[in-house]
Amino acid sequence: MQLYNTLTRKIEPIQPLKPPAVGVYTCGPTVYDYAHIGHWFNYIRMDLLIRVLQINDLKPLWVMNITDVGHLVSDADEGEDKLEKGARREGKTAWEVADFYTKDFLECMHHLNILTPDHIVKATEHIEEQTELIKMLEQKGYTYVIDDGVYYDTSKFPGYAAFARLDLDDQQAGARVQYNTQKRSASDFALWKFSPKDHKRDMEWDSPWGKGFPGWHIECSAMSMKYLGSTLDIHTGGIDHIPVHHTNEIAQSEAATGVRFVNTWMHGNHVMVNDEKISKSLGNGIRLQEIISKGIPAEAVRLHVLESHYRSHSKFSWESLEAANNRLKSYHAMADQKWQTTDVGLINDNDIKNIQTAIQESLSNDLQTFDALRHLSALETTIDTGGINATSQDAFNAFLLWIDATLGLCLSTGSDITDKQKELLEQRGVSRKTKDWKTSDMIRATLLEEGIDIKDSATQQRWSKRF
RNA sequence: GGCGCUGUGGCGGAAUGGUAACGCAAAGGUCUGCAAAACCUUUUUUUACCGGUUCGAGCCCGGUCGGCGCCUCCA
C-alpha cells in the first residue's frame, strides 16, 4: 500500500515498524463549537485510511485526540483559550462546553459511519504526560520562561522550518500580527501558559512553573507518544496544520526523544464552499445536522467525499451533494439486485472478483477513491443491463459486505421484500401477460406506496427499495 | 511584502508527454401498453489566454489574466 508522505513530498509504500500493527494518530477537533462540513470531509478521509489499511491485512491502532483545553483564539491582544471563550459566550463552564461539543462530535462520527478510534484521548486527562514532556525539554535546554508562560526555543532545533519548507526570515518581514516581544523568535511557541492574574480560569492545573494550562501543540506530542511510542507510523491532519502545529509537534517530540517522530504524514486538503475557505466569519460552515434535516442521508456526504482525492482542493455545494445522493440511490438499487438473481444473469463470480481487485488496487494507491467509484459504477451499469447470475448470489453478497467495510457505505444492509409483496409482484407479472394493464398499474402503484420501485425489463420485473 | 498551490464540458471530478475517465444534470432518439430503466446521440475537437520546447502538450518552459492557501487560530 502506498501513500503520499508530506515529509518527503512523494508517494511511498507504507512500512510499519511492527507489522501488521500500524500506529495512526489523527489530530481531532477542538471542542468549542460544532464541527462543519470541512471537518467531516477530512475525518471521513482518515476513516478511509484506516479501512484501506485493514483490507491490506494491516492492523491499525488508531488514536484521535480531543482538544478540550489550551487552544488559543487568534487575536493576539486577547490570546484567550477557545474553550474559556466559548464558555463565556454560552454562560457555561469550559468543562460543560467541552463536554457538549465532544458528545455532538462523536454523535456525528457515528452518523457518518466513521470508525471509532481505538483511543479517543482528551488533553485535560493527560496533563501529567504533558508536564513530564515539558520537563524533559527543559532539562535538555529547549525552553525558556517569560511572563506569560514557558516557551519552546525553536532556534535550538536545527531544521525547524524544514518540514513546512518555510523561509522564516522572509515570512517575518511581512508578518501581519505582532507577537509577544519577550519571545526570542516569532516561531517560538508556548508549552505551558500561566493563568491570568486578574481572573480565575475554569481549567487550570499546578505545575513546576506555576498554575496554568498546557499549550495546544504539546498535547498531541504527549498523547501520541504515550499510546503509540516515540515513532508513529502515520500521523494525519488537515493541511493547515503543516506550518505550525505539526512543525511544532516534530520539534518538541524529536528534541525530547532524539528519534524520528513520524514516518508518514498524511494531510487532507481544504474543502471550499462557494470557492471560499470555510470560516466562522463567512458563516459558510455547514453542519451535518443541516444536511440531514434536508432529507439527505449522511451516507451521501460520505460518497461525495469519496468522489474527489483527499489531496485536491475539493468543493462542496448542495448541487454536488445532490449528485452524490443520486449516485448513491443507483448503488442501492444495484444492491437490491442480490435478491433478484436469475439463471440468465450475466454477472458471475469472476466479474465480481475482478471488480473487487480493481477497487482494492485503486484505494491502495494513495487512496484513489474516485477511481474505486469508477469501478463500482461500471459494475452497477453492467448489473442494470445484464443482471446477476443465480450462481453468484453469495459472491455478490460477500462483495457488498466488503464494499461496506472498505468504503463505509451501507449497501449490504437492505432487506428482501415481504412475501406479500412478492405475491403482488407475481400477480402483476400474470396481469401483464394477459395485458390487463389496469391491474398491473394498480399493483405498481400499491408497491410504490410501500417504497418499492418497479422497472420492467424484457424478461423480468426488477424492484428497488427507497431508502 | 514573502512563500506556495491552482485554473479541465451545465455542475462535480480524473488523466507516467501520446491524442480528454467517471458521476450528476439537460435535450433528442431507440425500446416500450404506460412509467421507469437500459442503450445511442447532443450539450463536449476540447483543457483561462498568448508564446515556446517537442514528431506529439491538459500535462514541460516563459509571459498575461483570474482563483485560493500559508506567513495569525484553523480540518
Side-chain angles (χ1 to χ4, degrees):
Chain A
M1 172 179 178
Q2 302 190 100
L3 199 63
Y4 181 85
N5 186 356
T6 306
L7 190 64
T8 57
R9 319 275 155 139
K10 282 184 190 132
I11 293 173
E12 297 173 341
I14 296 289
Q15 291 171 317
L17 290 173
K18 295 174 190 166
V22 190
V24 183
Y25 184 85
T26 293
C27 278
T30 301
V31 284
Y32 69 106
D33 204 344
Y34 293 109
H36 58 61
I37 188 70
H39 297 108
W40 294 125
F41 261 64
N42 272 340
Y43 291 117
I44 288 168
R45 291 158 166 171
M46 305 321 166
D47 167 79
L48 200 84
L49 169 69
I50 302 296
R51 292 172 183 272
V52 174
L53 288 169
Q54 286 172 342
I55 61 169
N56 281 284
D57 298 324
L58 296 166
K59 301 269 178 275
L61 180 62
W62 193 18
V63 179
M64 181 188 282
N65 72 303
I66 302 281
T67 298
D68 54 359
V69 66
H71 204 154
L72 303 185
V73 298
S74 58
D75 304 321
D77 45 324
E78 235 184 21
E80 197 177 3
D81 186 326
K82 286 185 173 182
L83 271 297
E84 301 267 338
K85 189 182 179 184
R88 234 187 27 216
R89 177 187 72 212
E90 300 185 14
K92 295 176 183 170
T93 67
W95 294 101
E96 287 166 339
V97 167
D99 191 50
F100 178 84
Y101 290 111
T102 301
K103 279 186 182 147
D104 187 75
F105 182 83
L106 296 176
E107 232 169 74
C108 289
M109 289 224 333
H110 180 70
H111 280 307
L112 288 163
N113 203 14
I114 294 171
L115 295 168
T116 304
D118 299 286
H119 298 284
I120 296 177
V121 295
K122 296 181 179 178
T124 52
E125 289 173 2
H126 296 80
I127 300 298
E128 198 182 326
E129 286 83 351
Q130 296 177 69
T131 50
E132 285 306 312
L133 188 56
I134 300 171
K135 276 190 213 164
M136 215 184 290
L137 290 168
E138 188 177 41
Q139 280 162 16
K140 296 194 175 186
Y142 283 95
T143 67
Y144 61 92
V145 178
I146 57 178
D147 61 3
D148 70 341
V150 181
Y151 280 77
Y152 184 99
D153 187 341
T154 53
S155 68
K156 299 262 173 69
F157 187 73
Y160 171 77
F163 180 59
R165 310 201 171 174
L166 297 173
D167 185 332
L168 294 174
D169 292 333
D170 280 342
Q171 292 198 335
Q172 283 166 31
R176 285 180 282 170
V177 175
Q178 289 294 315
Y179 56 91
N180 187 327
T181 48
Q182 289 189 346
K183 275 166 68 174
R184 294 178 187 168
S185 160
S187 55
D188 291 355
F189 55 92
L191 296 165
W192 186 265
K193 294 274 284 184
F194 301 137
S195 291
K197 296 186 174 67
D198 51 343
H199 73 273
K200 186 174 174 356
R201 286 173 53 87
D202 290 331
M203 294 175 164
E204 58 182 11
W205 295 265
D206 288 321
S207 84
W209 311 279
K211 191 166 279 193
F213 59 100
W216 173 42
H217 313 294
I218 196 73
E219 66 169 86
C220 284
S221 291
M223 295 193 290
S224 62
M225 292 197 286
K226 172 178 178 179
Y227 292 93
L228 298 171
S230 300
T231 301
L232 321 182
D233 290 310
I234 304 174
H235 188 136
T236 78
I239 196 170
D240 48 281
H241 282 152
I242 295 170
V244 179
H245 185 49
H246 290 165
T247 290
N248 291 347
E249 275 186 53
I250 292 171
Q252 292 166 340
S253 308
E254 298 193 353
T257 65
V259 299
R260 190 185 208 189
F261 177 45
V262 171
N263 280 331
T264 303
W265 286 92
M266 170 189 172
H267 290 101
N269 208 326
H270 280 303
V271 179
M272 314 296 284
V273 173
N274 299 327
D275 292 328
E276 285 173 313
K277 181 182 165 178
I278 298 170
S279 73
K280 287 269 161 13
S281 56
L282 290 167
N284 55 0
I286 294 156
R287 283 174 53 198
L288 180 63
Q289 190 51 46
E290 190 180 344
I291 292 168
I292 291 173
S293 70
K294 291 192 183 206
I296 300 168
E299 194 182 359
V301 175
R302 180 178 269 274
L303 192 61
H304 185 23
V305 172
L306 300 180
E307 285 181 323
S308 66
H309 191 66
Y310 73 94
R311 286 192 281 119
S312 74
H313 230 194
S314 331
K315 296 174 196 168
F316 175 87
S317 68
W318 291 104
E319 198 184 354
S320 53
L321 182 61
E322 189 61 40
N325 195 25
N326 286 338
R327 187 178 201 171
L328 181 64
K329 283 176 188 165
S330 68
Y331 285 170
H332 275 273
M334 168 182 75
D336 283 334
Q337 294 303 307
K338 83 173 166 189
W339 312 103
Q340 305 172 69
T341 56
T342 66
D343 293 339
V344 293
L346 293 180
I347 297 295
N348 58 41
D349 288 21
N350 216 28
D351 300 322
I352 292 167
K353 192 179 151 206
N354 288 341
I355 293 279
Q356 180 168 328
T357 303
I359 290 175
Q360 170 148 1
E361 277 173 10
S362 297
L363 293 173
S364 303
N365 184 15
D366 198 31
L367 307 180
Q368 299 198 46
T369 50
F370 50 87
D371 208 42
L373 293 186
R374 184 168 63 85
H375 293 305
L376 191 57
S377 285
L379 179 67
E380 187 257 317
T381 303
T382 317
I383 286 178
D384 239 337
T385 320
I388 300 162
N389 196 288
T391 56
S392 295
Q393 186 168 36
D394 290 344
F396 184 61
N397 195 34
F399 172 76
L400 291 177
L401 286 165
W402 182 84
I403 283 289
D404 284 358
T406 304
L407 298 178
L409 300 176
C410 310
L411 302 182
S412 64
T413 56
S415 54
D416 198 358
I417 54 175
T418 64
D419 287 346
K420 201 181 164 196
Q421 288 167 333
K422 281 181 189 168
E423 209 172 292
L424 281 171
L425 211 55
E426 216 164 292
Q427 279 176 27
R428 181 167 180 271
V430 172
S431 47
R432 288 190 73 226
K433 266 184 197 155
T434 59
K435 300 194 191 253
D436 178 2
W437 307 125
K438 198 176 166 189
T439 307
S440 156
D441 289 352
M442 203 178 71
I443 293 172
R444 185 166 65 192
T446 305
L447 287 170
L448 189 63
E449 272 173 34
E450 294 173 15
I452 314 260
D453 277 319
I454 307 288
K455 301 171 200 165
D456 296 324
S457 76
T459 53
Q460 63 167 335
Q461 307 175 70
R462 289 213 192 126
W463 58 263
S464 60
K465 275 191 185 181
R466 297 267 169 82
F467 64 98

